[in-house]
Amino acid sequence: METMANKIAIEKTKSSKIHDVDFDNLSFGSVYSDHMLVCDYKNGKWSEPKVVPYQPITLDPSAKIFHYGQSIFEGMKAYKDENGKAWLFRPEENWKRLNKSAKRLAIPEIPEAYFMEGLNALIQLESDWIPQNPGSSLYIRPFVFASGNGFHASPADEYKFIIACAPSGAYFSGKVKVLIEETYSRAANGGVGYAKAGGNYAGQFYPTQLAAEKGYQQVIWTDDNTHEFIEEAGAMNVFVRINDTLMTAPTSDRILDGITRKSILDIAKDQGIKTEVRKISVHELVEAAENGSLKEMFGAGTAAVVSPISGFGYHGKDYDLPELAESYASLLKKRITDIQYNRAEDKFGWRHEVTQ
Ligand code: PLP
Ligand code: COI
């Protein structure tokens, strides 16, 4: 990695908000830390990132983000261990995926040093904002959007890359009931489903609202062509356990290549759990639910961590999953969070220390 020529400039806030925050009752992503990282793209290049007080952004009404949705983001977390040391989890994977998304949305890619050194400088400064309560962390939201102006439907000539942070608790409160989608699609072949593009989420809100009206918290997206195979959920990849085999759908043009997903697969294999990455049909799922071989389902993602699914709805019928005393979900959640919070050996080399 090329390093930056200059140390990252830091402008500190004059009035910290940290004492206004109730760290014992954190929801997800609704209070923000004191500082953010900002980096501007102008005249064909990214300026060096700087850390500034968290503040609103002013944009022209013709900024292309408003009209053409050129916007991508990442989701990651900083964790604090018992000794007060701060850690990240596989941050270079987020940088790589941000640039995969950037390329697909015709957004200029972010230099590795700007992302990694900028992130380190920001998290080091915001270290007191990393909650230490069980299950809490500092959610980190890197994002890039078209700040350049013009109604012409073409890529902008100016962009902003920002990293903002939110001390957060759990994404879901309790178990998650899902609806297997039979009408709408999240993504299509050749589309942007594999990118973390803002529009992918906007397109999910309406079908998810319809599902919520029927009592489901999330939609399980199926392939756009036949709606016969399950793909992923709104903000997480999906795992299914049939008998003792743990399976998940293969990544494709339509599925986000989740960092939690691939870590869970590696941990499961390491634990001696039989894993399969293959297409999973709704028919197979319904059959397994009916004959009792469907033991569990769970979602996996940075925000959601490992979230057990209590049951699914399909074709007007609900299928409940059993309560297991020793589920793969709880074992794998423990293993991955033990690595993230520096409570266990990290044989995979995923933990990344925030340096001073
Ligand atoms: N799928 C979607 C659509 C997501 O938004 C997310 C969340 O980032 C994931 C999967 C899980 O990805 P990761 O584990 O990298 O957070
Ligand atoms: C994440 O898990 O970080 C995500 O990006 C999900 C988000 C849509 C809340």
Side-chain angles (χ1 to χ4, degrees):
M1 175 176 90
E2 250 182 74
T3 51
M4 286 182 37
N6 305 307
K7 225 171 158 247
I8 290 176
I10 295 182
E11 183 199 334
K12 285 196 187 165
T13 180
K14 292 193 176 65
S15 57
S16 173
K17 302 166 294 191
I18 199 161
H19 298 298
D20 302 338
V21 177
D22 180 1
F23 279 86
D24 292 328
N25 291 293
L26 289 170
S27 60
F28 178 85
S30 53
V31 290
Y32 313 100
S33 72
D34 282 332
H35 300 92
M36 62 187 195
L37 184 89
V38 182
C39 190
D40 288 303
Y41 183 89
K42 266 188 194 142
N43 304 320
K45 70 186 229 324
W46 286 105
S47 63
E48 293 212 339
K50 51 186 195 285
V51 174
V52 298
Y54 185 89
Q55 59 193 279
I57 305 160
T58 304
L59 291 172
D60 194 271
S62 72
K64 293 204 178 187
I65 171 62
F66 299 133
H67 308 277
Y68 305 119
Q70 253 188 312
S71 150
I72 54 172
F73 71 98
E74 270 303 318
M76 49 204 305
K77 284 175 171 173
Y79 309 88
K80 207 168 237 187
D81 71 18
E82 264 182 15
N83 301 317
K85 232 178 200 264
W87 302 90
L88 297 165
F89 184 71
R90 310 186 77 177
E92 62 294 331
E93 294 290 330
N94 294 93
W95 167 70
K96 284 187 201 153
R97 192 171 61 189
L98 185 68
N99 278 348
K100 241 168 103 178
S101 303
K103 195 165 179 186
R104 182 62 183 81
L105 276 282
I107 291 174
E109 293 176 34
I110 311 287
E112 182 174 9
Y114 287 19
F115 185 95
M116 294 300 291
E117 292 183 32
L119 177 67
N120 191 79
L122 177 68
I123 302 307
Q124 188 191 317
L125 183 66
E126 301 300 68
S127 167
D128 288 347
W129 284 88
I130 308 174
Q132 264 176 309
N133 314 32
S136 299
S137 57
L138 185 67
Y139 185 72
I140 306 168
R141 176 52 64 86
F143 60 106
V144 191
F145 64 92
S147 51
N149 303 334
F151 292 147
H152 194 278
S154 51
D157 56 358
E158 294 184 5
Y159 296 85
K160 268 188 189 299
F161 163 46
I162 295 179
I163 307 183
C165 305
S168 294
Y171 191 72
F172 294 112
S173 47
K175 280 201 169 190
V176 184
K177 197 171 147 197
V178 298
L179 180 67
I180 296 185
E181 183 58 56
E182 297 174 62
T183 307
Y184 296 97
S185 299
R186 174 187 174 274
N189 287 328
V192 297
Y194 70 87
K196 236 171 137 54
N200 282 341
Y201 298 80
Q204 300 184 75
F205 291 162
Y206 176 62
T208 307
Q209 274 173 352
L210 296 180
E213 283 165 16
K214 297 185 197 150
Y216 303 96
Q217 283 82 44
Q218 287 270 297
V219 167
I220 301 268
W221 298 102
T222 46
D223 69 290
D224 62 301
N225 194 18
T226 65
H227 294 292
E228 278 176 20
F229 297 94
I230 64 163
E231 303 225 299
E232 64 176 327
M236 45 193 194
N237 296 108
V238 173
F239 284 82
V240 171
R241 173 182 173 185
I242 296 183
N243 292 318
D244 284 337
T245 303
L246 185 65
M247 48 192 94
T248 191
T251 53
S252 69
D253 271 9
R254 305 182 304 269
I255 295 186
L256 193 81
D257 185 2
I259 297 160
T260 318
R261 172 188 176 280
K262 57 187 169 200
S263 307
I264 289 286
L265 280 171
D266 286 346
I267 296 172
K269 281 181 218 158
D270 184 63
Q271 293 289 309
I273 295 172
K274 185 169 174 236
T275 60
E276 283 178 10
V277 175
R278 64 161 173 86
K279 288 165 84 170
I280 303 161
S281 73
V282 183
H283 174 75
E284 177 181 11
L285 208 59
V286 168
E287 200 173 75
E290 282 173 346
N291 70 23
S293 59
L294 179 64
K295 303 291 182 207
E296 54 182 306
M297 288 172 71
F298 59 85
T302 300
V305 197
V306 172
S307 291
I309 291 172
S310 59
F312 67 89
Y314 180 66
H315 236 63
K317 199 171 160 194
D318 277 344
Y319 299 84
D320 292 330
L321 275 92
E323 287 272 349
L324 298 184
E326 288 184 15
S327 66
Y328 283 173
S330 58
L331 170 76
L332 296 165
K333 181 176 180 180
K334 176 162 185 351
R335 290 280 180 267
I336 195 167
T337 53
D338 279 353
I339 295 174
Q340 290 166 335
Y341 286 86
N342 190 27
R343 292 189 294 249
E345 184 208 349
D346 173 22
K347 62 157 88 166
F348 305 98
W350 291 334
R351 204 161 44 220
H352 179 104
E353 190 175 344
V354 177
T355 53
Q356 289 304 310

